[in-house]
Structure formats: C-alpha cells, structure tokens
Amino acid sequence: MPNAYTVLVVDDEPPIRRFLRTSLTAVGYRVVTADDAGGALAAFVSEKPDVIILDLGLPDRSGLDVIAEIRQRSPVPIIVLSARSDERSKVEALDLGADDYIGKPFGMAELTARLRAALRHAFQAQGELPMFVSGDLSVDLVRRHVTRGGREIKLSPKEFELLRHLVTHAGKVLTHRQLLREVWGPAQAEEVQYLRVFIRGLRQKLEPDPTRPTHILTELGVGYRLQLPPEQRA
C-alpha cells in the first residue's frame, strides 16, 4: 500500500495493537505499532506517520509526555485512545495538543470516523477553509458572512471570532481553555461561564432548536465541537 496513510498505534496491550493493526489494515491504512513512549517517539521519527492513535497509560512514561514532545516538533493529528475516562485526563490531553479523545472500550466505526476527521483537519489546517456549509448553515470566513436557511445572521465581533475558531477546527474537540485563550486571550482562560454565555448566544442564532443543538456540540466537562457536515462524517 505505497499510497496508504500511515497510522502509528501506541498501546502497551498486545491484543489492542493486534486488533487495531488488523482492523485498520483491512480498510486501507498502513499500520505501525509501539508498546511504550520510547518506541512511540522513535517510530514517530522513522515512520513519519500521518496520524497517531495513543494510549495514555504507557509503561515507561505517560502518554501526555508523548503528546507534549511530539507537539514541539509536528502538528501530526493525535487521537487519544484510553481507559482513563475522567474529565481531567481528557482536558489535559486536549490542552497539550491532542486532536481527539476516545475512551475504552471503543467501537471501530467511531474510531475510523474520528480518524478520517483528524486527517481531513490536518489537511485543512494548511489554510483556513473559505466556506463552511452544513445543512442550512453557511459560514463564509472571507466575507465574514453567516446565513441560516438563506437568511443572514448578524453576529457580534466576538461571536464571529468564536465561530471562526470552531469552523477552522471543525470536527475537533476544543477545550474551554483553548477557546477562551484563542478568542479572549490568556487572562480569560479560566472564565468557563463566560464562554458558555457566548455559546448559548451562538446556538440561539444558528441552531433550529437551541435546546437540541446539531451544529455546536458539547463535550461534557471538556469543551465544544463543531459537527462536520453529514457527508464528511461518512
């Protein structure tokens, strides 16, 4: 598979590594594996993976250390696959630069969908998408023009900046701290309630039913994700 995307799987459980190698190879990926942090960093250098699936509980060092070290060198997508389900671990991994977080046990359908989304985002990140369209929602980042069902939606400058950041990272979980830091600055990085107020305002303007959002989704205790269009989730 000379043109296949390379996935680096890092997990200290042999059954998990075998299962992921078999399952991902079957759908067209080239898979390399490592069972600890040292092996992961060595494989990252030698194999130049297109995406990394990483467990946090490694025998030599924490997977969080691996995320931090890789982020100093590369923006390669990192999907955390971990039995740690507490919010603190999720937030810390995402704040360090992980692109997504999936808990164990997991379903392959969800994992492969998140894998495709991470790869799409990696290519999109080379430059902001000029247009985002999902259902009746349309966001033109160049013209700063937002419509729903063909009708223009007026946003405040901060609302648009928040939406722009969500669009630029569509499909990716963004933590409260990431959004607050990027939109309002480091001094506001802990003002989670402030962010919730603006998200509520955006949903009132963008969602057909703000109480059941379909565009701006909540990752409980972690942050928010702008849902990709249905055709990109397949």
Side-chain angles (χ1 to χ4, degrees):
M1 296 180 292
N3 297 318
Y5 292 118
T6 297
V7 181
L8 171 58
V9 173
V10 186
D11 199 295
D12 65 338
E13 298 182 59
I16 295 289
R17 293 198 305 273
R18 287 195 297 268
F19 173 70
L20 289 176
R21 179 189 288 278
T22 300
S23 301
L24 294 175
T25 299
V27 293
Y29 293 99
R30 173 178 174 264
V31 180
V32 294
T33 64
D35 60 6
D36 59 18
L41 294 170
F44 165 71
V45 173
S46 63
E47 301 293 340
K48 297 180 172 57
D50 297 293
V51 63
I52 298 171
I53 297 175
L54 174 69
D55 186 18
L56 295 183
L58 301 176
D60 52 347
R61 293 168 61 190
S62 169
L64 296 172
D65 294 337
V66 176
I67 297 171
E69 191 159 336
I70 287 176
R71 276 294 168 262
Q72 292 177 4
R73 313 184 198 178
S74 169
V76 62
I78 300 173
I79 299 175
V80 171
L81 183 63
S82 178
R84 299 182 190 177
S85 59
D86 59 290
E87 292 174 0
R88 182 176 179 179
S89 294
K90 292 181 181 180
V91 170
E92 190 170 3
L94 292 164
D95 275 342
L96 282 170
D99 293 81
D100 212 337
Y101 194 112
I102 302 175
K104 294 178 181 177
F106 62 95
M108 275 307 299
E110 179 184 10
L111 177 60
T112 52
R114 301 283 188 97
L115 193 62
R116 290 191 297 269
L119 286 166
R120 276 194 298 271
H121 180 259
F123 292 117
Q124 293 168 359
Q126 298 174 14
E128 290 187 353
L129 289 177
M131 180 72 72
F132 176 86
V133 179
S134 181
D136 65 349
L137 176 64
S138 176
V139 183
D140 186 332
L141 294 178
V142 176
R143 296 172 55 217
R144 300 177 69 87
H145 187 71
V146 181
T147 61
R148 195 187 86 193
R151 299 181 61 183
E152 184 176 3
I153 303 297
K154 297 292 187 181
L155 301 181
S156 71
K158 282 297 183 186
E159 285 177 331
F160 184 85
E161 183 63 15
L162 177 58
L163 180 60
R164 184 194 68 78
H165 203 69
L166 289 165
V167 166
T168 302
H169 300 279
K172 177 180 176 180
V173 179
L174 297 175
T175 68
H176 302 125
R177 189 176 294 110
Q178 286 172 323
L179 287 167
L180 285 161
R181 186 174 59 238
E182 293 297 326
V183 179
W184 284 275
Q188 305 296 324
E190 304 301 326
E191 301 294 334
V192 176
Q193 188 57 39
Y194 193 58
L195 175 61
R196 290 190 180 119
V197 170
F198 273 82
I199 290 291
R200 189 180 306 122
L202 276 179
R203 284 174 170 162
Q204 290 289 338
K205 295 180 179 181
L206 304 181
E207 301 281 1
D209 182 355
T211 65
R212 297 180 179 179
T214 57
H215 296 304
I216 302 174
L217 306 184
T218 298
E219 296 284 340
L220 287 176
V222 178
Y224 300 95
R225 178 203 305 270
L226 183 65
Q227 181 73 291
L228 288 166
E231 64 273 13
Q232 293 187 27
R233 288 177 242 152

